[in-house]
PDB file of all heavy atoms in Angstrom:
ATOM      1  N   SER A 450      35.496 -30.150 100.182  1.00 95.00           N
ATOM      2  CA  SER A 450      35.141 -30.414 101.556  1.00 95.00           C
ATOM      3  C   SER A 450      36.108 -29.612 102.443  1.00 95.00           C
ATOM      4  O   SER A 450      37.164 -29.333 102.028  1.00 95.00           O
ATOM      5  CB  SER A 450      35.106 -31.921 101.837  1.00 95.00           C
ATOM      6  OG  SER A 450      36.388 -32.325 101.863  1.00 95.00           O
ATOM      7  N   TYR A 451      35.702 -29.443 103.779  1.00 94.00           N
ATOM      8  CA  TYR A 451      36.604 -28.767 104.589  1.00 94.00           C
ATOM      9  C   TYR A 451      37.879 -29.490 104.832  1.00 94.00           C
ATOM     10  O   TYR A 451      38.961 -28.851 104.690  1.00 94.00           O
ATOM     11  CB  TYR A 451      35.799 -28.617 105.918  1.00 94.00           C
ATOM     12  CG  TYR A 451      36.761 -27.981 106.997  1.00 94.00           C
ATOM     13  CD1 TYR A 451      36.998 -26.574 107.034  1.00 94.00           C
ATOM     14  CD2 TYR A 451      37.409 -28.741 108.034  1.00 94.00           C
ATOM     15  CE1 TYR A 451      37.863 -25.998 107.984  1.00 94.00           C
ATOM     16  CE2 TYR A 451      38.243 -28.106 108.853  1.00 94.00           C
ATOM     17  CZ  TYR A 451      38.483 -26.819 108.881  1.00 94.00           C
ATOM     18  OH  TYR A 451      39.248 -26.265 109.835  1.00 94.00           O
ATOM     19  N   LYS A 452      37.786 -30.816 104.946  1.00 96.00           N
ATOM     20  CA  LYS A 452      39.061 -31.594 105.216  1.00 96.00           C
ATOM     21  C   LYS A 452      40.017 -31.569 104.028  1.00 96.00           C
ATOM     22  O   LYS A 452      41.218 -31.428 104.093  1.00 96.00           O
ATOM     23  CB  LYS A 452      38.693 -33.007 105.672  1.00 96.00           C
ATOM     24  CG  LYS A 452      38.335 -33.088 107.059  1.00 96.00           C
ATOM     25  CD  LYS A 452      38.134 -34.577 107.471  1.00 96.00           C
ATOM     26  CE  LYS A 452      37.772 -34.750 108.975  1.00 96.00           C
ATOM     27  NZ  LYS A 452      37.645 -36.156 109.393  1.00 96.00           N
ATOM     28  N   PHE A 453      39.402 -31.736 102.841  1.00 95.00           N
ATOM     29  CA  PHE A 453      40.233 -31.825 101.685  1.00 95.00           C
ATOM     30  C   PHE A 453      40.817 -30.469 101.288  1.00 95.00           C
ATOM     31  O   PHE A 453      41.983 -30.253 100.848  1.00 95.00           O
ATOM     32  CB  PHE A 453      39.445 -32.273 100.501  1.00 95.00           C
ATOM     33  CG  PHE A 453      40.288 -32.639  99.307  1.00 95.00           C
ATOM     34  CD1 PHE A 453      41.082 -33.686  99.300  1.00 95.00           C
ATOM     35  CD2 PHE A 453      40.272 -31.792  98.198  1.00 95.00           C
ATOM     36  CE1 PHE A 453      42.049 -33.931  98.198  1.00 95.00           C
ATOM     37  CE2 PHE A 453      41.087 -32.032  97.010  1.00 95.00           C
ATOM     38  CZ  PHE A 453      41.972 -33.191  97.022  1.00 95.00           C
ATOM     39  N   GLU A 454      40.072 -29.368 101.568  1.00 95.00           N
ATOM     40  CA  GLU A 454      40.583 -27.985 101.405  1.00 95.00           C
ATOM     41  C   GLU A 454      41.736 -27.747 102.234  1.00 95.00           C
ATOM     42  O   GLU A 454      42.694 -27.189 101.837  1.00 95.00           O
ATOM     43  CB  GLU A 454      39.408 -27.039 101.746  1.00 95.00           C
ATOM     44  CG  GLU A 454      39.761 -25.579 101.361  1.00 95.00           C
ATOM     45  CD  GLU A 454      38.555 -24.651 101.746  1.00 95.00           C
ATOM     46  OE1 GLU A 454      38.239 -24.461 102.855  1.00 95.00           O
ATOM     47  OE2 GLU A 454      38.057 -24.111 100.729  1.00 95.00           O
ATOM     48  N   ARG A 455      41.768 -28.223 103.580  1.00 95.00           N
ATOM     49  CA  ARG A 455      42.837 -28.061 104.486  1.00 95.00           C
ATOM     50  C   ARG A 455      44.040 -28.844 103.991  1.00 95.00           C
ATOM     51  O   ARG A 455      45.206 -28.332 103.972  1.00 95.00           O
ATOM     52  CB  ARG A 455      42.535 -28.565 105.857  1.00 95.00           C
ATOM     53  CG  ARG A 455      41.375 -27.868 106.603  1.00 95.00           C
ATOM     54  CD  ARG A 455      41.757 -26.395 106.956  1.00 95.00           C
ATOM     55  NE  ARG A 455      41.103 -25.528 105.925  1.00 95.00           N
ATOM     56  CZ  ARG A 455      41.415 -24.308 105.668  1.00 95.00           C
ATOM     57  NH1 ARG A 455      42.274 -23.671 106.440  1.00 95.00           N
ATOM     58  NH2 ARG A 455      40.760 -23.601 104.763  1.00 95.00           N
ATOM     59  N   PHE A 456      43.778 -30.089 103.448  1.00 96.00           N
ATOM     60  CA  PHE A 456      44.801 -30.826 103.018  1.00 96.00           C
ATOM     61  C   PHE A 456      45.526 -30.299 101.820  1.00 96.00           C
ATOM     62  O   PHE A 456      46.745 -30.149 101.705  1.00 96.00           O
ATOM     63  CB  PHE A 456      44.231 -32.272 102.556  1.00 96.00           C
ATOM     64  CG  PHE A 456      45.257 -33.162 101.827  1.00 96.00           C
ATOM     65  CD1 PHE A 456      46.265 -33.787 102.525  1.00 96.00           C
ATOM     66  CD2 PHE A 456      45.091 -33.278 100.437  1.00 96.00           C
ATOM     67  CE1 PHE A 456      47.169 -34.543 101.665  1.00 96.00           C
ATOM     68  CE2 PHE A 456      45.963 -34.105  99.725  1.00 96.00           C
ATOM     69  CZ  PHE A 456      47.056 -34.731 100.350  1.00 96.00           C
ATOM     70  N   MET A 457      44.726 -29.843 100.790  1.00 96.00           N
ATOM     71  CA  MET A 457      45.273 -29.305  99.538  1.00 96.00           C
ATOM     72  C   MET A 457      46.009 -27.911  99.785  1.00 96.00           C
ATOM     73  O   MET A 457      46.994 -27.580  99.078  1.00 96.00           O
ATOM     74  CB  MET A 457      44.249 -29.186  98.535  1.00 96.00           C
ATOM     75  CG  MET A 457      44.749 -29.144  97.109  1.00 96.00           C
ATOM     76  SD  MET A 457      45.944 -30.353  96.621  1.00 96.00           S
ATOM     77  CE  MET A 457      44.957 -31.829  96.646  1.00 96.00           C
ATOM     78  N   LYS A 458      45.456 -27.178 100.714  1.00 96.00           N
ATOM     79  CA  LYS A 458      46.023 -25.834 101.111  1.00 96.00           C
ATOM     80  C   LYS A 458      47.549 -26.146 101.549  1.00 96.00           C
ATOM     81  O   LYS A 458      48.391 -25.434 101.115  1.00 96.00           O
ATOM     82  CB  LYS A 458      45.233 -25.265 102.193  1.00 96.00           C
ATOM     83  CG  LYS A 458      45.901 -23.959 102.814  1.00 96.00           C
ATOM     84  CD  LYS A 458      44.854 -23.438 103.991  1.00 96.00           C
ATOM     85  CE  LYS A 458      45.446 -22.235 104.609  1.00 96.00           C
ATOM     86  NZ  LYS A 458      46.802 -22.399 105.347  1.00 96.00           N
TER      87      LYS A 458
END
Side-chain angles (χ1 to χ4, degrees):
S450 67
Y451 176 77
K452 283 188 176 179
F453 190 71
E454 187 177 70
R455 297 298 95 192
F456 168 77
M457 199 52 70
K458 172 182 182 295

